[in-house]
Amino acid sequence: GSMQPAALYVPPSYQPGHKASLVVLLHGRTQTESEILAIKYFRQLSDATGTIIIAPYGRGDIQYEDPAPADVYAALEAAKQAFTIDAHRTFLVGYSMGGYGVYQVGPKRVQEWAGFLAIAGGPNNGDRDAVFDTFTGKPVYIVSGVRDAVIPNSYMRFVAQQLRQAGIPSAYYEQAEGTHRLSTIYPAIARAWNDMLRGIK
């Protein structure tokens, strides 16, 4: 019942009445909703693809467990009311803790999403059954840095393999020499983002 903040970025190309793609962006641990949008990388992707981004606050570092999903979907509804959104190009994207959050939040109302992008984050054991049961037919884009010491690259490869074995379309993007820092894996993120927006499975 408390008010929760969200950050918003609208690309200059947006025109009311013309459908725009939308990304709901989940931030990492120790970040806030404003900090992840203050970093230039997601704004650059927004400008390049005409995508509106709304970033809800994840209630600290609770890994987007309840009641955080309610905040995420409240942010989604607020964006849909405020802007002309293309329902076929609405995506859930997360980085680090937010990457884990994609797999916690997505299954709650999977019909809302055209696809998912998880950057340096995967499903917890408790999330896997819900993901495998609900993500069928929804593309998942996975990004990892080869030298990520926080979320090991081997784990991210394993997640991609598990999704494919479950029949979930997934694409894996690996950044050579990339670490956990967004700046080091940005080229892989940009490739995944662009494929996601183009609907490449």
Side-chain angles (χ1 to χ4, degrees):
S2 60
M3 295 292 290
Q4 292 294 315
L8 178 71
Y9 184 76
V10 182
S13 61
Y14 173 71
Q15 297 180 19
H18 295 265
K19 288 183 179 181
S21 50
L22 173 69
V23 159
V24 178
L25 178 63
L26 307 182
H27 64 78
R29 189 178 183 190
T30 76
Q31 285 182 318
T32 68
E33 77 292 343
S34 296
E35 287 170 342
I36 195 166
L37 277 183
I39 301 169
K40 64 182 179 180
Y41 303 111
F42 290 107
R43 299 197 316 273
Q44 288 176 344
L45 293 170
S46 168
D47 289 344
T49 57
T51 302
I52 295 170
I53 301 176
I54 189 163
Y57 180 56
R59 293 181 184 254
D61 60 358
I62 65 168
Q63 298 280 13
Y64 291 91
E65 295 176 357
D66 288 328
D71 299 330
V72 175
Y73 286 104
L76 171 64
E77 292 303 321
K80 288 163 64 176
Q81 291 178 21
F83 304 99
T84 308
I85 299 300
D86 187 344
H88 299 291
R89 299 175 75 222
T90 298
F91 303 93
L92 183 62
V93 176
Y95 161 64
S96 191
M97 181 182 82
Y100 283 87
V102 164
Y103 299 101
Q104 292 175 302
V105 174
K108 303 284 186 181
R109 287 167 51 183
V110 72
Q111 73 279 1
E112 299 280 2
W113 311 108
F116 306 94
L117 169 54
I119 304 163
N124 292 316
N125 288 335
D127 303 324
R128 287 182 180 174
D129 286 347
V131 169
F132 293 162
D133 289 344
T134 62
F135 275 27
T136 303
K138 300 283 184 175
V140 181
Y141 305 84
I142 299 165
V143 175
S144 176
V146 171
R147 298 187 180 276
D148 191 330
V150 179
I151 309 296
N153 175 247
S154 58
Y155 169 67
M156 296 299 290
R157 289 186 178 195
F158 174 74
V159 169
Q161 181 184 34
Q162 290 290 298
L163 290 172
R164 289 173 186 151
Q165 288 178 351
I168 297 167
S170 59
Y172 176 71
Y173 303 79
E174 187 173 86
Q175 187 63 48
E177 305 301 321
T179 67
H180 198 67
R181 294 177 60 88
L182 280 170
S183 59
T184 69
I185 55 175
Y186 177 70
I189 295 171
R191 292 195 301 272
W193 181 286
N194 288 326
D195 285 352
M196 178 180 73
L197 267 292
R198 292 200 300 262
I200 296 174
K201 297 185 179 181

